[in-house]
Amino acid sequence: MNWSMAITLCMPVILLVEIPNLRSLRSKRDAWTFATVWLIATCAMAAEWAGVPLPRPMEWIRYISAPINRLLP
C-alpha cells in the first residue's frame, strides 16, 4: 500500500481523536490552527494520492528568496 494513501485514510481518525482535546483547551485560536494545518495536510496527501504534480518545497523557497537575493550585493 502507498504511504500517502495510508496517511490520507488515517487523517479522519486523527481529527476525531483530537477534537476532544481541542474542546477541553477552549481556545479558538488553537482549534483554527489545528483545523487549518489538518486541512492543508489532508488536501496535500489526497492530491499526491491522486497523482497531481505538487511543487517541491525547495522551489517555493527559491521563489520566495529570489527577490531578497537580488537585493544583496
Side-chain angles (χ1 to χ4, degrees):
M1 179 157 49
N2 192 348
W3 279 108
S4 62
M5 184 187 306
I7 294 172
T8 304
L9 294 174
C10 290
M11 292 303 281
V13 174
I14 293 169
L15 181 65
L16 292 174
V17 168
E18 288 300 320
I19 285 176
N21 294 335
L22 291 170
R23 284 189 180 168
S24 68
L25 289 175
R26 291 189 172 100
S27 172
K28 287 185 180 183
R29 183 177 55 187
D30 289 344
W32 277 105
T33 303
F34 173 78
T36 303
V37 171
W38 181 86
L39 184 63
I40 291 170
T42 303
C43 291
M45 294 305 297
E48 184 179 333
W49 183 16
V52 175
L54 298 172
R56 297 180 185 185
M58 284 304 292
E59 292 174 8
W60 295 4
I61 293 170
R62 286 186 186 131
Y63 178 75
I64 292 170
S65 64
I68 297 169
N69 289 337
R70 278 189 245 131
L71 294 174
L72 296 175

